[in-house]
Amino acid sequence: MTDELPRQADRSWWLEEALALPEFAGPAAPPLASDTTADVIILGGGYTGMWTAWFLKEAEPDLDVVLLEQDICGGGPSGRNGGFLNGMYEDLGTLVERFGKEGRRTVEIAARSIEEIGAWCEAHGVDAWYGLHGDIAISTAPAFDPIVRQLVEEAEANGVGHLYRSLSAEEVRKRFDSPVARIGATMSHTAGVQPARLARGLRRVLIEKGVRIFEDTPVTRFGERTATAETPGGVVRAGRAVLGLNAWANAIGALRRSIMVRGTYIVVTAPAPERLEQMHWTGGEGVYDLRTSLHYLRTTNDGRIVFGGAGHRVAPKRVTARYRYDEGSVRDLVRDFRRWFPAFEGVPLESAWGGPIDVSGLHLPFFGTLKGGVAHYGVGFTGNGVGPCHLGGKILAGLALGKQDEFTTLPIARGPLKRFPPEPLFTPGQQVVVRAVIRRDDRMDEGRRVDPITDAIAGLPRRLGYGLGP
Ligand SMILES: Cc1cc2nc3c(=O)[nH]c(=O)nc-3n(C[C@H](O)[C@H](O)[C@H](O)COP(=O)(O)OP(=O)(O)OC[C@H]3O[C@@H](n4cnc5c(N)ncnc54)[C@H](O)[C@@H]3O)c2cc1C
């Protein structure tokens, strides 16, 4: 069956769902309309900025915190993601290799966010569909079978084997009966959320706590040495600033070569809970495959499938509208969706959207302070920010308050960890590598041989010391 392309959604389905409810839509946060001052100014109303505001207010309830968001809070990736709430287990190998015990400590501290976010939602009456359901990694072709086994073996070698369990093909089918699914592995310590409800719930609680949030307020000029933000309606002067700008942070010179902007896209079906039952996918688990250009998918409370995948193009370096919707990437997703879900034959795909991600060289978020010592940033979540942005909020609140604590002393809080090559080499090089990665994934999925040149190009970043690619 060939599908029409789904509706190009300006807001994600998650955000549309949340904004239809008064507790997530309000209260209003009109644009900044005059000059003001603050103790701390936060740029960006995603999870990073909002968790930072939360931890600042937790530490010092009287602190005057102003948050500026160019769109609405949660209008960016925080309200449009796949809802996988992970720790940093997949980075354990890299972290231990580079930082030894401190690397392990980072993963232990990041893992706390998985329960803490659930407890926070409970305590503040935010129904973000939080569920500690775990995830299933599946192999979709014989060439991916060894990668599933490797996942479990590496977890055992790193001392977290108890969180993973191999699944036979029969066991996978009992939980996720798709024709593409072969063997798999469960990861028990991860949760799922309705991402926009989490973002909008955070916003409501922050406003109740006295954080002054201004939406529809783009920062057009930022003085990093003075913590001054210029916006169309007024200037904010503060002693300290925190930047939670995700991929938009590559407009900042000091960060430009430390993050690479990529797109990832999602399609959502109409509700069809009976079809999910037919496929035995009723446990709320997130599912992902082992392609480098990953597919990630989960179900919603009303029986939809949210199906995401890495974009296939290298878009412009600056964040543009392309990241909200890329027709070519969505077309591929629709094709893949139909291959994965014959059980959803005839169920329409209702809408599609996307967003930018801030890929860092080691696949690790990093936090630091710009020259001048008053502006702190957190970026590089590399498509895994729902959990780690919560830890990021603790680190950034600590940095803004000048604290030396268990969060600000983590090795990911010492600035960029690895830079990308300079232009004019970088963009064309990136384009060649991305194409090779997708070609390699497609061939593996189709059961075809991967030619050595494609394999070599796809593997280049890792051979050059980056934590990216096969
Ligand atoms: C489609 C998609 C699926 C994803 N799936 C997952 C997932 O399942 N699990 C997971 O862990 N992660 C996922 N991610 C990544 C995750 O969403 C992000 O890592 C996380 O939301 C980053 O939060 P943030 O606050 O740093 O950035 P954002 O949520 O992007 O917030 C940054 C904000 O800054 C604002 N801004 C930018 N420039 C300015 C300016 N000049 N002035 C004022 N405001 C400005 C933006 O409008 C934006 O709202 C996904 C991302 C995408 C795009």
Side-chain angles (χ1 to χ4, degrees):
M1 168 176 165
T2 43
D3 264 279
E4 291 288 302
L5 282 184
R7 175 175 64 91
Q8 173 177 343
D10 181 39
R11 298 279 181 226
S12 70
W13 177 83
W14 304 118
L15 200 48
E16 287 172 357
E17 196 276 341
L19 291 177
L21 303 165
E23 68 265 38
F24 296 111
L32 182 69
S34 58
D35 292 355
T36 187
T37 58
D39 294 321
V40 182
I41 176 178
I42 297 177
L43 275 58
Y47 300 137
T48 301
M50 289 196 285
W51 281 124
T52 302
W54 167 257
F55 288 111
L56 282 170
K57 283 297 223 183
E58 274 274 279
E60 295 189 20
D62 294 334
L63 208 66
D64 183 14
V65 179
V66 162
L67 187 150
L68 305 176
E69 165 56 50
Q70 64 182 1
D71 182 9
I72 60 170
C73 292
S78 294
R80 40 177 70 230
N81 62 68
F84 285 68
L85 196 181
N86 299 322
M88 290 174 62
Y89 292 107
E90 67 172 318
D91 298 311
L92 181 56
T94 309
L95 281 161
V96 169
E97 190 185 308
R98 291 189 77 101
F99 305 113
K101 278 187 189 152
E102 283 295 280
R104 189 168 294 279
R105 184 167 78 87
T106 306
V107 175
E108 283 163 8
I109 289 187
R112 289 189 212 156
S113 293
I114 300 167
E115 272 82 16
E116 286 177 9
I117 291 175
W120 183 92
C121 288
E122 179 83 34
H124 295 90
V126 174
D127 178 9
W129 301 358
Y130 174 90
L132 255 178
H133 303 299
D135 292 343
I136 310 181
I138 58 163
S139 161
T140 49
F144 292 109
D145 291 354
I147 307 179
V148 177
R149 294 191 198 103
Q150 207 180 319
L151 185 78
V152 177
E153 280 161 19
E154 274 175 17
E156 278 160 6
N158 284 324
V160 291
H162 60 289
L163 299 176
Y164 292 78
R165 190 168 76 78
S166 296
L167 297 179
S168 66
E170 203 188 342
E171 287 173 310
V172 171
R173 273 197 303 276
K174 280 190 184 149
R175 296 172 68 169
F176 181 76
D177 191 6
S178 157
V180 304
R182 296 169 56 83
I183 60 169
T186 53
M187 200 303 174
S188 58
H189 198 203
T190 93
V193 288
Q194 204 286 34
R197 283 179 170 230
L198 176 60
R200 299 295 298 181
L202 246 170
R203 170 191 183 276
R204 170 182 60 79
V205 173
L206 291 178
I207 292 173
E208 285 165 9
K209 291 273 171 200
V211 174
R212 291 192 287 145
I213 296 183
F214 299 96
E215 293 183 331
D216 204 5
T217 301
V219 175
T220 49
R221 205 181 149 87
F222 176 65
E224 61 185 57
R225 290 171 187 271
T226 52
T228 305
E230 291 178 26
T231 79
V235 178
V236 187
R237 293 188 177 76
R240 292 153 278 179
V242 170
L243 313 181
L245 291 173
N246 191 2
W248 287 268
N250 82 342
I252 293 165
L255 300 176
R256 191 163 300 141
R257 276 191 48 206
S258 305
I259 47 173
M260 161 169 87
V261 184
R262 292 298 319 278
T264 172
Y265 302 88
I266 289 182
V267 293
V268 63
T269 68
E274 68 295 344
R275 308 287 183 105
L276 290 175
E277 264 170 47
Q278 264 170 32
M279 308 178 44
H280 317 301
W281 190 17
T282 50
E285 316 90 328
V287 174
Y288 60 96
D289 65 13
L290 278 310
R291 290 168 61 103
T292 303
S293 55
L294 177 81
H295 288 110
Y296 51 94
L297 38 149
R298 64 182 325 107
T299 54
T300 65
N301 277 11
D302 62 349
R304 298 165 192 268
I305 294 176
V306 174
F307 185 77
H312 68 208
R313 284 198 216 157
V314 174
K317 276 162 274 169
R318 290 292 165 96
V319 181
T320 62
R322 161 82 70 77
Y323 291 102
R324 292 192 160 225
Y325 187 88
D326 173 54
E327 189 176 310
S329 300
V330 171
R331 199 176 287 285
D332 284 0
L333 259 186
V334 171
R335 178 202 63 201
D336 292 342
F337 177 84
R338 291 300 172 195
R339 196 164 53 82
W340 281 57
F341 295 106
F344 270 60
E345 170 83 48
V347 178
L349 290 164
E350 279 194 351
S351 69
W353 66 90
I357 58 173
D358 49 353
V359 176
S360 71
L362 292 184
H363 199 273
L364 294 172
F366 58 91
F367 304 85
T369 302
L370 296 175
K371 271 191 193 142
V374 294
H376 313 279
Y377 59 82
V379 75
F381 294 96
T382 319
N384 180 32
V386 179
C389 288
H390 179 259
L391 168 58
K394 296 177 187 172
I395 295 173
L396 290 166
L399 290 175
L401 296 173
K403 283 188 187 167
Q404 277 267 328
D405 61 17
E406 60 174 331
F407 309 118
T408 58
T409 53
L410 288 171
I412 53 172
R414 296 176 201 151
L417 297 164
K418 190 161 176 76
R419 281 169 196 264
F420 290 108
E423 297 293 359
L425 274 181
F426 182 58
T427 297
Q430 192 196 350
Q431 219 139 23
V432 172
V433 172
V434 167
R435 282 203 198 110
V437 163
I438 292 173
R439 195 162 56 239
R440 183 177 181 275
D441 282 340
D442 285 347
R443 291 197 170 207
M444 287 168 77
D445 249 341
E446 290 157 9
R448 291 164 66 196
R449 182 177 154 272
V450 179
D451 63 276
I453 295 179
T454 298
D455 207 35
I457 298 174
L460 193 62
R462 208 163 279 277
R463 286 204 307 285
L464 291 175
Y466 292 93
L468 304 169

